[in-house]
Short mmCIF file of all heavy atoms in Angstrom, two decimals:
data_model
loop_
_atom_site.label_atom_id
_atom_site.label_comp_id
_atom_site.label_asym_id
_atom_site.label_seq_id
_atom_site.Cartn_x
_atom_site.Cartn_y
_atom_site.Cartn_z
N ARG I 1 -11.79 -0.39 0.83
CA ARG I 1 -13.23 -0.69 0.72
C ARG I 1 -13.69 -0.54 -0.74
O ARG I 1 -14.56 -1.20 -1.17
CB ARG I 1 -14.01 0.26 1.68
CG ARG I 1 -15.52 -0.04 1.77
CD ARG I 1 -16.19 0.90 2.73
NE ARG I 1 -16.30 2.26 2.17
CZ ARG I 1 -17.23 2.59 1.21
NH1 ARG I 1 -18.13 1.71 0.78
NH2 ARG I 1 -17.25 3.80 0.79
N ARG I 2 -13.10 0.44 -1.49
CA ARG I 2 -13.57 0.72 -2.82
C ARG I 2 -12.73 0.04 -3.90
O ARG I 2 -12.76 0.37 -5.04
CB ARG I 2 -13.50 2.21 -3.08
CG ARG I 2 -14.33 3.07 -2.19
CD ARG I 2 -14.22 4.55 -2.66
NE ARG I 2 -15.00 5.47 -1.81
CZ ARG I 2 -15.35 6.68 -2.24
NH1 ARG I 2 -15.06 7.09 -3.38
NH2 ARG I 2 -16.06 7.46 -1.44
N ARG I 3 -11.89 -0.93 -3.47
CA ARG I 3 -10.93 -1.50 -4.39
C ARG I 3 -11.53 -2.19 -5.60
O ARG I 3 -10.85 -2.42 -6.61
CB ARG I 3 -9.92 -2.39 -3.68
CG ARG I 3 -10.52 -3.66 -3.11
CD ARG I 3 -9.43 -4.34 -2.20
NE ARG I 3 -9.90 -5.54 -1.61
CZ ARG I 3 -10.50 -5.65 -0.40
NH1 ARG I 3 -10.76 -4.46 0.26
NH2 ARG I 3 -10.88 -6.76 0.06
N ASP I 4 -12.77 -2.62 -5.50
CA ASP I 4 -13.41 -3.29 -6.63
C ASP I 4 -14.11 -2.29 -7.61
O ASP I 4 -14.55 -2.74 -8.68
CB ASP I 4 -14.44 -4.26 -6.17
CG ASP I 4 -13.85 -5.42 -5.36
OD1 ASP I 4 -12.70 -5.78 -5.64
OD2 ASP I 4 -14.57 -5.91 -4.43
N GLN I 5 -14.03 -1.03 -7.33
CA GLN I 5 -14.74 -0.04 -8.16
C GLN I 5 -13.93 0.29 -9.41
O GLN I 5 -14.53 0.72 -10.46
CB GLN I 5 -14.97 1.25 -7.39
CG GLN I 5 -16.04 1.11 -6.35
CD GLN I 5 -16.30 2.46 -5.62
OE1 GLN I 5 -15.81 3.50 -6.01
NE2 GLN I 5 -17.16 2.42 -4.60
N ASN I 6 -12.63 0.18 -9.38
CA ASN I 6 -11.82 0.57 -10.52
C ASN I 6 -10.78 -0.52 -10.88
O ASN I 6 -9.95 -0.82 -10.02
CB ASN I 6 -11.06 1.87 -10.15
CG ASN I 6 -10.32 2.44 -11.33
OD1 ASN I 6 -9.85 1.71 -12.22
ND2 ASN I 6 -10.15 3.79 -11.36
N PRO I 7 -10.97 -1.15 -12.06
CA PRO I 7 -10.05 -2.29 -12.38
C PRO I 7 -8.61 -1.84 -12.55
O PRO I 7 -7.72 -2.67 -12.49
CB PRO I 7 -10.62 -2.79 -13.69
CG PRO I 7 -11.37 -1.64 -14.30
CD PRO I 7 -11.90 -0.84 -13.12
N ASP I 8 -8.37 -0.55 -12.74
CA ASP I 8 -6.98 -0.07 -12.93
C ASP I 8 -6.40 0.60 -11.75
O ASP I 8 -5.39 1.30 -11.80
CB ASP I 8 -6.92 0.87 -14.16
CG ASP I 8 -7.16 0.14 -15.45
OD1 ASP I 8 -6.79 -1.02 -15.58
OD2 ASP I 8 -7.80 0.70 -16.37
N LEU I 9 -7.05 0.43 -10.61
CA LEU I 9 -6.53 1.13 -9.35
C LEU I 9 -5.16 0.63 -9.02
O LEU I 9 -4.30 1.40 -8.54
CB LEU I 9 -7.51 0.91 -8.22
CG LEU I 9 -7.13 1.56 -6.83
CD1 LEU I 9 -6.89 3.05 -7.03
CD2 LEU I 9 -8.21 1.27 -5.85
N GLY I 10 -4.84 -0.66 -9.22
CA GLY I 10 -3.54 -1.22 -8.96
C GLY I 10 -2.49 -0.48 -9.80
O GLY I 10 -1.41 -0.23 -9.31
N VAL I 11 -2.80 -0.24 -11.08
CA VAL I 11 -1.82 0.47 -11.95
C VAL I 11 -1.68 1.89 -11.45
O VAL I 11 -0.52 2.45 -11.42
CB VAL I 11 -2.32 0.50 -13.38
CG1 VAL I 11 -1.37 1.26 -14.29
CG2 VAL I 11 -2.52 -0.93 -13.92
N ALA I 12 -2.71 2.53 -11.06
CA ALA I 12 -2.64 3.93 -10.58
C ALA I 12 -1.84 3.99 -9.31
O ALA I 12 -0.99 4.89 -9.09
CB ALA I 12 -4.10 4.47 -10.31
N LEU I 13 -2.00 3.03 -8.40
CA LEU I 13 -1.18 3.03 -7.15
C LEU I 13 0.26 2.86 -7.46
O LEU I 13 1.10 3.48 -6.85
CB LEU I 13 -1.72 1.87 -6.31
CG LEU I 13 -3.11 1.99 -5.63
CD1 LEU I 13 -3.58 0.63 -5.06
CD2 LEU I 13 -3.08 3.07 -4.55
N TRP I 14 0.58 1.93 -8.43
CA TRP I 14 1.99 1.64 -8.72
C TRP I 14 2.66 2.85 -9.33
O TRP I 14 3.79 3.16 -9.07
CB TRP I 14 2.05 0.44 -9.67
CG TRP I 14 3.44 0.06 -10.06
CD1 TRP I 14 4.11 0.45 -11.22
CD2 TRP I 14 4.36 -0.71 -9.31
NE1 TRP I 14 5.37 -0.08 -11.22
CE2 TRP I 14 5.58 -0.79 -10.02
CE3 TRP I 14 4.29 -1.27 -8.07
CZ2 TRP I 14 6.70 -1.45 -9.63
CZ3 TRP I 14 5.41 -1.97 -7.62
CH2 TRP I 14 6.63 -2.03 -8.35
N ASN I 15 1.95 3.63 -10.22
CA ASN I 15 2.48 4.73 -10.97
C ASN I 15 2.48 6.02 -10.25
O ASN I 15 3.18 6.98 -10.61
CB ASN I 15 1.84 4.83 -12.35
CG ASN I 15 2.18 3.66 -13.27
OD1 ASN I 15 3.29 3.16 -13.26
ND2 ASN I 15 1.21 3.23 -14.05
N ALA I 16 1.68 6.17 -9.24
CA ALA I 16 1.54 7.45 -8.51
C ALA I 16 2.74 7.67 -7.67
O ALA I 16 3.19 6.83 -6.90
CB ALA I 16 0.27 7.44 -7.65
N TYR I 17 3.38 8.80 -7.88
CA TYR I 17 4.60 9.18 -7.17
C TYR I 17 4.46 8.99 -5.66
O TYR I 17 3.60 9.62 -5.01
CB TYR I 17 5.05 10.57 -7.51
CG TYR I 17 6.31 11.00 -6.79
CD1 TYR I 17 7.56 10.61 -7.22
CD2 TYR I 17 6.20 11.79 -5.60
CE1 TYR I 17 8.67 10.99 -6.57
CE2 TYR I 17 7.35 12.16 -4.94
CZ TYR I 17 8.56 11.76 -5.42
OH TYR I 17 9.74 12.14 -4.76
N GLY I 18 5.29 8.12 -5.08
CA GLY I 18 5.37 8.04 -3.60
C GLY I 18 4.36 7.14 -2.93
O GLY I 18 4.52 6.77 -1.72
N VAL I 19 3.40 6.66 -3.69
CA VAL I 19 2.26 5.92 -3.05
C VAL I 19 2.76 4.55 -2.61
O VAL I 19 2.52 4.05 -1.48
CB VAL I 19 1.07 5.74 -3.99
CG1 VAL I 19 0.09 4.70 -3.45
CG2 VAL I 19 0.32 7.12 -4.08
N MET I 20 3.55 3.86 -3.44
CA MET I 20 3.98 2.49 -3.13
C MET I 20 4.97 2.59 -1.91
O MET I 20 4.95 1.73 -1.05
CB MET I 20 4.72 1.86 -4.33
CG MET I 20 3.78 1.48 -5.50
SD MET I 20 2.39 0.41 -4.96
CE MET I 20 3.23 -1.07 -4.45
N THR I 21 5.77 3.66 -1.87
CA THR I 21 6.66 3.84 -0.75
C THR I 21 5.91 3.95 0.57
O THR I 21 6.30 3.39 1.59
CB THR I 21 7.51 5.10 -0.95
OG1 THR I 21 8.31 4.95 -2.12
CG2 THR I 21 8.49 5.32 0.24
N ILE I 22 4.74 4.64 0.51
CA ILE I 22 3.89 4.72 1.68
C ILE I 22 3.37 3.40 2.07
O ILE I 22 3.36 2.96 3.31
CB ILE I 22 2.71 5.72 1.42
CG1 ILE I 22 3.24 7.17 1.34
CG2 ILE I 22 1.63 5.58 2.45
CD1 ILE I 22 2.19 8.13 0.85
N LEU I 23 2.97 2.55 1.13
CA LEU I 23 2.46 1.20 1.46
C LEU I 23 3.60 0.34 2.07
O LEU I 23 3.41 -0.38 3.07
CB LEU I 23 1.93 0.52 0.17
CG LEU I 23 0.64 1.17 -0.44
CD1 LEU I 23 0.17 0.35 -1.59
CD2 LEU I 23 -0.45 1.38 0.58
N TYR I 24 4.81 0.46 1.56
CA TYR I 24 5.95 -0.25 2.10
C TYR I 24 6.21 0.23 3.51
O TYR I 24 6.49 -0.61 4.46
CB TYR I 24 7.17 -0.05 1.23
CG TYR I 24 7.08 -0.41 -0.18
CD1 TYR I 24 7.91 0.18 -1.14
CD2 TYR I 24 6.18 -1.39 -0.62
CE1 TYR I 24 7.82 -0.17 -2.52
CE2 TYR I 24 6.08 -1.72 -1.95
CZ TYR I 24 6.91 -1.10 -2.93
OH TYR I 24 6.78 -1.41 -4.26
N GLN I 25 6.12 1.50 3.75
CA GLN I 25 6.36 2.01 5.12
C GLN I 25 5.32 1.54 6.08
O GLN I 25 5.67 1.16 7.25
CB GLN I 25 6.36 3.55 5.05
CG GLN I 25 7.57 4.20 4.38
CD GLN I 25 7.39 5.70 4.23
OE1 GLN I 25 6.30 6.28 4.35
NE2 GLN I 25 8.49 6.34 3.89
N GLU I 26 4.13 1.44 5.66
CA GLU I 26 3.04 0.91 6.53
C GLU I 26 3.31 -0.53 6.94
O GLU I 26 3.07 -0.93 8.03
CB GLU I 26 1.66 0.98 5.81
CG GLU I 26 1.13 2.41 5.63
CD GLU I 26 0.68 2.94 7.00
OE1 GLU I 26 -0.12 2.30 7.67
OE2 GLU I 26 1.08 4.12 7.31
N ILE I 27 3.87 -1.29 5.98
CA ILE I 27 4.14 -2.71 6.22
C ILE I 27 5.37 -2.89 7.15
O ILE I 27 5.28 -3.54 8.17
CB ILE I 27 4.40 -3.47 4.88
CG1 ILE I 27 3.14 -3.60 4.10
CG2 ILE I 27 5.08 -4.86 5.10
CD1 ILE I 27 3.34 -3.99 2.58
N ILE I 28 6.40 -2.20 6.89
CA ILE I 28 7.64 -2.31 7.63
C ILE I 28 7.47 -1.78 9.05
O ILE I 28 8.05 -2.25 10.00
CB ILE I 28 8.75 -1.54 6.89
CG1 ILE I 28 9.12 -2.33 5.57
CG2 ILE I 28 10.02 -1.49 7.75
CD1 ILE I 28 9.97 -1.54 4.63
N ALA I 29 6.60 -0.79 9.23
CA ALA I 29 6.46 -0.10 10.51
C ALA I 29 5.98 -1.06 11.61
O ALA I 29 6.29 -0.85 12.80
CB ALA I 29 5.46 1.04 10.38
N ILE I 30 5.33 -2.19 11.25
CA ILE I 30 4.82 -3.09 12.32
C ILE I 30 5.80 -4.23 12.60
O ILE I 30 5.45 -5.07 13.44
CB ILE I 30 3.39 -3.53 12.00
CG1 ILE I 30 3.36 -4.50 10.86
CG2 ILE I 30 2.45 -2.39 11.79
CD1 ILE I 30 2.11 -5.40 10.87
N TYR I 31 6.90 -4.33 11.91
CA TYR I 31 7.84 -5.41 12.17
C TYR I 31 8.16 -5.53 13.65
O TYR I 31 8.19 -6.61 14.22
CB TYR I 31 9.10 -5.23 11.38
CG TYR I 31 9.02 -5.61 9.91
CD1 TYR I 31 10.11 -5.39 9.04
CD2 TYR I 31 7.84 -6.08 9.34
CE1 TYR I 31 10.07 -5.68 7.69
CE2 TYR I 31 7.75 -6.40 8.00
CZ TYR I 31 8.92 -6.18 7.18
OH TYR I 31 8.85 -6.51 5.84
N PRO I 32 8.44 -4.43 14.36
CA PRO I 32 8.76 -4.53 15.81
C PRO I 32 7.65 -5.10 16.71
O PRO I 32 7.91 -5.53 17.79
CB PRO I 32 9.11 -3.10 16.23
CG PRO I 32 9.42 -2.36 14.92
CD PRO I 32 8.60 -2.99 13.90
N LEU I 33 6.45 -5.09 16.17
CA LEU I 33 5.28 -5.59 16.92
C LEU I 33 5.05 -7.10 16.77
O LEU I 33 4.20 -7.66 17.39
CB LEU I 33 4.03 -4.87 16.56
CG LEU I 33 4.06 -3.30 16.61
CD1 LEU I 33 2.76 -2.70 16.20
CD2 LEU I 33 4.41 -2.87 18.11
N LEU I 34 5.86 -7.70 15.85
CA LEU I 34 5.64 -9.12 15.59
C LEU I 34 6.24 -10.04 16.65
O LEU I 34 5.68 -11.12 16.97
CB LEU I 34 6.21 -9.45 14.16
CG LEU I 34 5.68 -8.65 12.99
CD1 LEU I 34 6.32 -9.08 11.71
CD2 LEU I 34 4.11 -8.85 12.92
N ASN I 35 7.41 -9.66 17.14
CA ASN I 35 8.11 -10.54 18.12
C ASN I 35 8.90 -9.72 19.06
O ASN I 35 9.88 -9.06 18.66
CB ASN I 35 9.00 -11.56 17.38
CG ASN I 35 9.58 -12.59 18.30
OD1 ASN I 35 8.99 -12.88 19.32
ND2 ASN I 35 10.69 -13.15 17.95
N PRO I 36 8.52 -9.72 20.38
CA PRO I 36 7.40 -10.41 21.00
C PRO I 36 6.10 -9.83 20.47
O PRO I 36 5.93 -8.70 20.12
CB PRO I 36 7.55 -10.20 22.48
CG PRO I 36 8.35 -8.91 22.56
CD PRO I 36 9.24 -8.91 21.39
#
């Protein structure tokens, strides 16, 4: 919701320890729900 507030939030997310891994986990976790 707040993603437009900080132009460097993308850099902060990328560089923060473990945060990108969490985003990847969130994505991969729903693979089993795709088919069926």
Side-chain angles (χ1 to χ4, degrees):
R1 189 179 69 80
R2 297 186 182 199
R3 62 188 182 273
D4 294 330
Q5 289 184 6
N6 188 330
D8 291 326
L9 180 55
V11 178
L13 292 167
W14 180 262
N15 290 323
Y17 178 79
V19 167
M20 292 304 296
T21 300
I22 288 170
L23 296 183
Y24 303 154
Q25 288 171 346
E26 288 289 310
I27 290 167
I28 293 167
I30 70 161
Y31 285 176
L33 305 178
L34 301 179
N35 190 22

